[in-house]
């Protein structure tokens, strides 16, 4: 359709394409019991035309993928428990449970430590804690930040929706839908301008498709050949509307492909698929091949967000959402997706690949639980903020005057 | 008369206008046009008027606002609810097109459009983008758009009727901090002027001027001060554009003391305009200005609550002035 | 690529597709002498799959198409002469010469008079005078407006870039690039909501492609099936940059097609081709078939804009533009396009179709010249504005206070 | 020292910074980064630094501004020139992201970004969108962004060096009405503070405060008044955020008369803030405010020139005050 485009563009059927055989063994097809359609089965899929990068990972690296998924999951479950049971807990969260494989698979392909002028940068969304953990943010300090503590990652100024840690290239969360995408292309622009092989990645939901920023980011990334990767987590809903309310595309990736940007649809529940697509995109970006787009089909288990004082099944908690009037998530849909849990899929794959055995997996999980419990315990003991500090950090130096007293 | 919230009152006005003008449309994004109150029917514009006239869209507030503008130019009264996260997304089109179009066309353009723009603010825990109260000043600098900020359910309903019937574009600011406010509001349609401030309390020692989400704490402070024996006059601006200079000047000509209170950032908050208008018209008065500092609101409740103007701080400032 | 799309999308080669034979006679192929590539030859083309609507027009209607083109051309030439020679003339203009067939062909398919709730609306750009004339705006009053006269179309408030006449459905010019497109979808939204068969048309340049508004307008028009027609006049340049600086698409129409919007590329120098594509789009919109996109390949002869006091060949006049540093229009390119002049093409087609003979064409031209000369003469005698009136029309009623005196 | 225009001076500063920091980038749209002046080499950033660092883009000012923000967050100082037609397109990202990001991240975000934003104004014939002067107020209400509006080539160069070296985001307003101004400007790099107003003329009868495109006519009026024997003190704000209150208060504490002059629309023009700051700090002073009315500028030169503040109107207002 567009003869300026030399790229082979991912057709929407790609996620259903036959897998290549993996060196780690041919996996049995686990039939789906749920109502999930047009998703791949529960197996470590290599698309016919994505090189199967994950097969070359060491056992340690594969276990790390699994560990990251678990950290995100246990951080969420622990925080949800705090909200439901601890009257002193104040943090809120936009839960990521169900989507963990996306952040974990993508960030495992990035440079997450080293000097600031060499690490890759990640721009996150209003749903950042999974991305933050995967990018390597210090979890205890993140827990403290989410509970508004003075020693939190951002001194209690940020809370969940503005988490930021440039030291690990986590430029940060952004509560607005849209603006982060053009901003992320700006970091990519800087990398290209100064001849660096760094890569800029933005995570966004299906809700970002309709924003005007979608066009700006993709169009400029393509024209200027920027080392930019747009990871669109299509969890089917933007707040209270199904994505078909805002997009004429079945696969949003096809909108990106129209710009001539190599675009893939992957099963976001399968960390190996995500890893493979991300690795391909990162390799392309580093070598000057320009932008890529990855649409991960995924699902969140909980409501749009949760807050302290929540009661299960009520607004802001973990059941149906009474504000969801126009369109809401059917019970069967939630259950069907839960049957394809990213933790289970990763565990099973690793066991089948022999990277881990069942006991080993349990040990990792026990480790992670302990680490997360310790993080929350540390956070709960951190000092609260000093009121007057609110006048700091407006500019690099100095404080602004108090004005609230007249 | 029934006890109604700000939002119920507004939707009641919208519902009446939509029933009486089949051309009228409503666009929304994440906030469904639904409200309820004891003793009155639930209002649900989407189910009542159907999806051709009432549409749930994607996350593109600039399109929502532009769509309503275009509908109004084609003769359809239109309204939209822009959630606070997107409050400035449509700024350019309102400022640069809607605000100028009537004048630029020599009076030919008619724009019966109302943008309900939510302002957050006053919510500890949500940093910056999710608890700022600042849109009042940005929108009030625009000529050609009536910018109002009703602080009571009664005003909200009457000003909504007036807005929807006006061929002038209206920015109708909704301070989300007022969402729990409830008062008796008539069930019938009525209009409240888009040009007048309201004197909420009379007195001769001191004038306090505020608006929108600033009002509840101002009224609380004023009651305390009155109990202490101070003659406080409280003015609720209600209308930021065109600001009602006469009411302000008349009051301060009497009291000779002016305290302005804003939840907006200090620099160029509505109170700055109030003081400037009064100072050029009244000699020898004394002035104080309470506002949120020129800093984004931090997430931490300790910091945020200290920075936000409240009744105690307002009363303190008033005592310092009189 | 997108299986939600049931439409057949125009391939970029369409403009080169073989023409169907016209009832009005088989036209000889006039070989091109210039360097214009990938454009159709000088003939009344019917695309293989656009119904050849124009062949059903009466002779009078065909002559009207020609007359509109001439009005635009003579308005421009007269205005340019005023700028170059009349020291009292004050109007400026963004010239449309070279592009006349686009506005003329499109507006001939619209309802341009009648009650306001039945006429079609047109949103124009910073280059509006051609669209205004084609939509039926009163030319003498437009001339007066462009020269800042109190009795001008908009009382001297508007001048060229804000011309507006709702009485003929010309909602108006807009000097901003971008905003008019979403606004135009709003009128279409209103038409659909109230069950009217009116159509909303926006004219924009190739420069509008890169704006974020492009995505907003097309995406929402498609999702909501709006009676909206986007006419993109690709004159190859947006101010001082070739359109390839801002678009990865050879045909911008392919970007629109990606949304599932029926999209066509037409030869913008040939009014018959433009008419056919517009008629198809209008018929579709009126019958509830949703939006359409038309990319007209065209060219402007003059500089980006012209102003009084101009000297030929200098900035703001009619030669090269010294501000055009990054990319400018090569002399050969300008000459090649001038060989495919829309006036000539229309005249020749009508003569070959027998709608007019050479003498008749001259008579029409003489008429038009006289009409335009009279318009400028009338305008020049109109009164200037009253300073204090600047305080009116801010709101529907009343005036705002003077503030400039303190 | 060479005679230089505002824009030559700015590009000279940018050129020096780009030569000395290979990371720095520049984005433009229709205005190429080219300037010349007699006796000095032509500056052309695009040819000097190449298209990887200096890029000509499509019409998407929000992307231009966002791209520079993202580049700065990745450690590359960055600047862009936003033409006046797109002056408010990037408003939301500057207001809601850049302005809040340092604070929201507890000081972690560093943003060495400068947005040069052209303001039109003062051009008779171009209506509304093409001759408004209004951006000063919108941008100055934002916390966390330094908003400056240099009115002389000398200040423009020194403030550009300071802006590009600052880790704070800077909105650098360029009043296009100053484009013909020329003065002696050093060839070497130097900084002018982003925090200080400038006293342009000293006197004890009256303080006139203005900024940007307002300055030339204010200076003209002040010279006339001085010749008439009035002791006029002229303050050029230069910095709108953080506004230099001390200079203002000290001056009016002496003169007891304050006249503010703005080309911006009256309501919430910078002068409103100036008056409010002074009135809360100085007792018994007298005030006047000259500004463009709350109306978009009409195309007709007769209407427009009558509405625009100029030296005559300013002098008239001053005489009425003293
Ligand atoms: C500009 C803007 N408009 C509205 C919102 C309110 N909002 C917060 S999250 C959200 C939905 C986002 O959906 P999606 O991008 O799919 O991400 P998900 O929540 O599904 O992870 C909306 C509309 C916002 N944050 N920013
Ligand atoms: C938002 C915005 N940015 C910049 C401009 C300045 N500008 C005026 S016309 C123009 C070029 C428009 O190009 P195109 O859309 O191709 O139309 P053409 O001039 O070729 O008819 C530009 C950049 C503007 N008017 N609006
Ligand atoms: Mg989603
Ligand atoms: Mg063009």
């Amino acid at each position: 359709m567009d003869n300026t485009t030399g790229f082979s563009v991912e057709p929407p059927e790609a996620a259903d394409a036959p897998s290549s055989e993996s060196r780690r063994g041919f996996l049995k097809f686990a039939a789906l019991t749920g109502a999930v359609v047009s998703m791949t089965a529960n197996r470590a899929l290599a698309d016919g035309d994505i090189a199967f990068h994950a097969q070359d990972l060491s056992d340690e690296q594969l276990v790390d993928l699994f560990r990251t998924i678990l950290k995100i999951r246990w951080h969420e479950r622990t925080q949800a428990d705090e909200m439901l049971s601890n009257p002193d807990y104040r943090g809120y969260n936009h839960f990521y449970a169900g989507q963990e494989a996306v952040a974990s698979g993508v960030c495992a392909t990035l440079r997450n430590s080293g000097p600031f002028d060499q690490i890759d940068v990640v721009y996150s969304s209003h749903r950042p804690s999974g991305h933050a953990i995967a990018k390597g943010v210090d979890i205890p300090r993140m827990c403290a930040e989410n509970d508004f503590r003075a020693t939190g990652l951002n001194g209690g100024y940020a809370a969940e929706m503005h988490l930021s840690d440039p030291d690990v290239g986590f430029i940060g969360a952004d509560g607005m839908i849209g603006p982060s995408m053009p901003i992320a292309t700006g970091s990519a622009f800087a990398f290209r301008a100064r001849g660096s092989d760094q890569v800029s990645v933005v995570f966004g939901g299906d809700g970002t498709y309709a924003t005007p920023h979608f066009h700006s980011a993709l169009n400029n990334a393509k024209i200027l050949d920027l080392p930019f990767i747009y990871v669109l987590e299509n969890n089917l809903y933007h707040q209270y509307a199904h994505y078909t309310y805002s997009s004429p595309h079945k696969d949003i990736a096809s909108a990106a492909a129209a710009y001539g940007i190599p675009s893939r649809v992957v099963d976001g529940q399968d960390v190996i698929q995500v890893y493979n697509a991300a690795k391909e995109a990162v390799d392309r970006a580093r070598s000057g091949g320009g932008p890529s787009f990855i649409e991960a089909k995924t699902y969140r288990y909980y409501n749009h967000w949760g807050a302290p004082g929540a009661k299960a099944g009520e607004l802001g908690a973990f059941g149906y959402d009474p504000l969801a009037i126009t369109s809401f998530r059917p019970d069967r849909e939630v259950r069907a997706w839960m049957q394809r849990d990213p933790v289970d899929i990763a565990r099973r794959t690793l066991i089948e690949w022999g990277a881990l055995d069942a006991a080993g997996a349990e040990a990792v999980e026990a480790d992670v639980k302990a680490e997360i419990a310790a993080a929350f315990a540390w956070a709960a003991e951190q000092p609260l903020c000093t009121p007057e500090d609110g006048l700091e950090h407006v500019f690099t130096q100095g404080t602004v005057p108090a004005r609230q007293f007249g | 008369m029934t006890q109604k919230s700000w939002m119920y009152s507004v939707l009641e006005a919208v519902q009446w206008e939509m029933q009486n003008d089949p051309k009228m449309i409503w666009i929304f994004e994440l906030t469904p046009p639904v409200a309820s109150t004891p003793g009155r029917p639930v209002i649900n514009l989407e189910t009542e008027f159907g999806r051709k006239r009432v549409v749930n869209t994607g996350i593109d507030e600039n399109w929502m606002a532009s769509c309503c503008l275009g509908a109004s130019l084609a003769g359809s009264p239109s309204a939209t609810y822009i959630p606070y996260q997107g409050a400035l997304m449509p700024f350019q089109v309102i400022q640069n097109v809607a605000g100028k179009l009537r004048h630029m066309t020599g009076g030919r353009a008619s724009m019966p459009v109302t943008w309900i723009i939510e302002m957050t603010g006053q919510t500890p825990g949500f940093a910056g983008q999710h608890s700022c109260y600042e849109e009042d000043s940005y929108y009030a600098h625009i000529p050609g758009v009536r910018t109002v900020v009703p602080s009571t359910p009664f005003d909200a309903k009457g000003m909504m009727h007036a807005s929807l019937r006006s061929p002038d574009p209206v920015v109708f600011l909704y301070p989300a901090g007022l969402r729990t406010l409830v008062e008796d509001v008539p069930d019938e349609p009525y209009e409240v002027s888009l040009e007048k401030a309201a004197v909420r309390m009379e007195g001769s020692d001191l004038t306090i001027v505020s608006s929108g989400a600033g009002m509840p704490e101002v009224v609380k402070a004023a009651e305390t001060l009155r109990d202490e024996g101070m003659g406080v006059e409280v003015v609720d601006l209600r209308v930021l554009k065109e600001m009602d200079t006469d009411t302000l000047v008349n009051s301060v000509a009497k009291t000779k003391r002016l305290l302005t209170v804003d939840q907006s950032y200090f620099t160029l908050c509505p109170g700055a305009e109030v003081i400037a208008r009064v100072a050029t018209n009244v000699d020898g008065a004394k002035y104080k200005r309470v506002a949120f500092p020129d800093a984004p609101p931090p997430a931490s409740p300790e910091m945020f609550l200290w920075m936000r103007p409240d009744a105690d701080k307002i009363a303190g400032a008033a005592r310092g002035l009189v």
Side-chain angles (χ1 to χ4, degrees), chain A, chain B:
Chain A
M1 189 173 71
D2 178 353
N3 60 3
T4 63
T5 303
F7 299 99
S8 87
V9 146
E10 186 72 357
E13 306 77 40
D16 301 318
S19 65
S20 64
E21 285 190 34
S22 132
R23 278 208 306 246
R24 288 179 181 275
F26 189 73
L27 304 173
K28 283 198 212 89
F29 195 98
L32 275 177
T33 47
V36 183
V37 288
S38 80
M39 297 297 294
T40 57
N42 169 16
R43 59 196 160 135
L45 239 203
D47 276 330
D49 55 352
I50 307 188
F52 203 160
H53 305 288
Q55 68 190 352
D56 292 322
L57 291 176
S58 67
D59 286 356
E60 288 63 34
Q61 287 170 311
L62 287 169
V63 172
D64 275 347
L65 278 178
F66 178 54
R67 193 189 311 273
T68 305
I69 292 175
L70 283 174
K71 283 184 189 173
I72 301 172
R73 176 65 56 90
W74 282 106
H75 169 263
E76 305 244 317
R77 290 193 53 171
T78 311
Q79 194 184 21
D81 283 349
E82 290 287 295
M83 290 179 190
L84 289 166
S85 63
N86 178 355
D88 295 332
Y89 187 72
R90 308 188 295 175
Y92 57 85
N93 202 15
H94 292 79
F95 289 106
Y96 193 66
Q99 307 187 196
E100 295 94 336
V102 185
S104 304
V106 169
C107 293
T109 68
L110 303 177
R111 264 187 238 135
N112 299 324
S113 61
F116 188 63
D117 63 2
Q118 286 170 33
I119 54 178
D120 298 321
V121 300
V122 159
Y123 286 83
S124 172
S125 65
H126 61 292
R127 195 176 297 291
S129 51
H131 309 140
I133 290 173
K135 193 73 174 84
V137 157
D138 183 71
I139 298 176
R141 291 181 63 216
M142 181 180 99
C143 291
E145 184 61 38
N146 286 345
D147 199 21
F148 315 117
R149 305 289 169 151
T151 48
L153 188 65
N154 302 100
Y157 291 73
E160 181 223 13
M161 270 188 294
H162 309 289
L163 291 170
S164 167
D165 188 356
D167 290 349
V168 299
F170 189 69
I171 299 297
D174 188 17
M176 297 297 104
I177 312 296
S180 54
M181 290 122 57
I183 298 171
T185 64
S187 294
F189 186 93
F191 299 154
R192 187 164 180 276
R194 64 200 198 209
S196 165
D197 72 347
Q198 291 163 277
V199 170
S200 174
V201 177
V202 68
F203 286 95
D206 47 292
T208 61
Y209 163 74
T211 68
H213 309 78
F214 184 85
H215 178 58
S216 297
L218 293 179
N219 192 48
N220 286 288
K222 172 63 191 162
I223 294 167
L224 301 169
D225 257 328
L226 303 181
F228 168 70
I229 301 171
Y230 192 135
V231 181
L232 188 135
E233 301 186 63
N234 188 346
N235 62 9
L236 309 189
Y237 293 84
H238 45 90
Q239 215 141 330
Y240 312 117
H242 195 265
Y243 82 99
T244 50
Y245 275 73
S246 66
S247 166
H249 307 280
K250 175 169 170 296
D251 292 317
I252 295 174
S254 65
Y259 295 89
I261 294 177
S263 302
R264 296 213 172 264
V265 178
V266 298
D267 175 357
Q269 307 312 94
D270 180 352
V271 71
I272 302 295
Q273 263 206 46
V274 174
Y275 179 90
N276 285 338
K279 183 71 167 60
E280 177 193 60
V282 169
D283 287 350
R284 179 184 297 123
R286 285 212 206 293
S287 59
S292 305
F293 188 94
I294 299 170
E295 175 178 4
K297 306 281 194 189
T298 185
Y299 206 75
R300 67 176 148 75
Y301 293 165
Y302 296 142
N303 259 356
H304 180 69
W305 74 299
K311 293 197 189 92
E314 289 190 11
L315 173 62
F318 316 106
Y320 281 142
D321 190 330
L323 266 184
I325 288 180
T326 307
S327 91
F328 59 92
R329 309 193 312 161
D331 199 32
R332 282 198 190 83
E333 184 179 274
V334 181
R335 284 181 209 285
W337 278 90
M338 284 183 162
Q339 286 168 13
R340 302 193 62 263
D341 187 69
V343 175
D344 292 346
I345 292 177
R347 186 197 292 111
R348 239 175 304 167
T349 304
L350 265 58
I351 291 175
E352 297 202 30
W353 285 12
L356 202 67
D357 58 15
E362 264 177 49
V364 172
E365 194 147 2
D367 270 9
V368 166
K369 277 193 207 176
E371 178 188 340
I372 298 294
F376 274 88
W378 181 82
E381 284 174 9
Q382 296 307 301
L384 299 183
C385 295
T386 306
E388 291 76 5
D389 287 351
L391 303 176
E392 285 187 0
H393 296 314
V394 178
F395 295 112
T396 313
Q397 284 169 351
T399 57
V400 298
R403 301 295 191 181
Q404 65 273 36
F405 301 106
Chain B
M1 286 287 208
T2 319
Q3 289 268 308
K4 290 167 192 162
S5 67
W6 202 100
M7 196 36 77
Y8 191 93
S9 306
V10 162
L11 288 188
E12 201 172 55
V14 173
Q15 183 186 38
W16 194 94
E17 298 292 337
M18 290 192 80
Q19 286 168 349
N20 286 274
D21 186 347
K23 294 197 301 309
M24 189 181 156
I25 63 152
W26 175 278
I27 313 262
F28 71 103
E29 176 189 344
L30 61 93
T31 312
V34 177
S36 62
T37 206
R40 297 280 298 163
V42 171
I43 299 175
N44 184 331
L45 302 181
E46 190 181 16
T47 53
E48 180 172 352
F49 299 106
R51 291 209 181 154
K52 276 200 177 167
R53 292 179 63 194
V54 178
V55 154
N56 184 358
T57 71
I59 307 172
D60 186 357
E61 294 85 5
N62 182 56
W63 181 78
M64 294 165 69
S66 299
C67 179
C68 285
L69 176 59
S72 79
L73 284 165
S76 277
S78 61
T80 182
Y81 183 98
I82 308 282
Y84 67 83
Q85 298 97 333
L88 269 308
M89 290 286 178
F91 187 67
Q92 197 273 343
V93 74
I94 294 176
Q95 164 264 337
N96 216 10
V97 183
K100 294 171 181 166
L101 209 53
R102 168 169 284 280
H103 198 259
M104 288 194 306
T105 61
R108 301 294 299 274
S110 174
M111 292 168 280
V113 51
T114 302
W115 301 283
I116 302 171
I117 297 186
E118 190 183 42
M119 292 198 281
T120 173
Q122 305 189 301
T123 320
F126 296 90
Q129 302 158 338
H130 287 70
S131 63
C132 287
Y133 187 103
E134 55 182 314
E135 291 82 3
D136 47 6
S137 292
Y138 303 129
Y139 282 106
H141 187 53
I142 304 175
V145 174
R146 297 196 181 278
T147 295
V148 302
V149 55
S151 77
T152 67
F154 180 91
D155 281 358
K157 176 169 173 170
M159 294 176 97
M160 183 49 66
H161 276 293
S163 298
L164 296 175
R165 294 169 189 179
S166 165
D168 296 328
V170 179
V171 165
F172 197 95
L173 297 172
Y174 170 37
L178 302 178
R179 79 178 79 73
T180 54
L181 215 72
V182 160
E183 72 178 341
D184 268 341
V185 173
D187 301 333
E188 308 70 47
Y190 60 93
E191 291 191 31
V192 169
S193 161
L194 303 178
E195 308 194 13
K196 285 270 155 264
V199 177
R200 300 288 184 202
M201 193 183 288
E202 292 191 37
S204 55
D205 295 334
L206 166 71
T207 304
I208 308 184
V209 178
S210 187
S211 61
M215 286 306 298
E217 295 290 306
V218 163
V219 169
K220 215 160 114 189
E223 280 162 0
T224 305
L225 294 165
R226 191 184 48 193
D227 294 348
E228 293 172 12
M230 198 187 289
V232 184
E233 183 138 315
V234 173
V235 179
D236 177 358
L237 286 173
R238 289 204 296 206
V239 180
L240 299 175
K241 188 77 158 232
E242 301 281 297
M243 199 180 267
D244 175 6
T245 313
D246 287 350
T247 300
L248 302 170
V249 168
N250 292 342
S251 177
V252 184
K254 173 174 70 176
T255 62
K256 294 282 184 188
R257 299 278 182 284
L258 172 61
L259 171 66
T260 65
V261 177
D262 287 284
Q263 302 286 359
S264 201
Y265 307 129
F266 179 77
T267 296
L268 287 166
C269 65
E273 181 64 29
V274 169
I275 293 175
R277 288 192 183 213
V278 170
T280 49
N281 281 288
V282 177
D283 282 342
K286 282 184 172 297
Y287 303 91
K288 262 201 185 183
R289 175 154 59 132
V290 164
F292 201 90
D294 282 322
S300 145
E302 294 74 37
M303 297 195 269
F304 178 74
L305 292 172
W306 178 77
M307 290 164 80
R308 196 184 67 178
D310 59 20
D312 279 352
K313 298 179 188 111
I314 296 163
R319 289 187 202 103
L321 193 56
V322 179

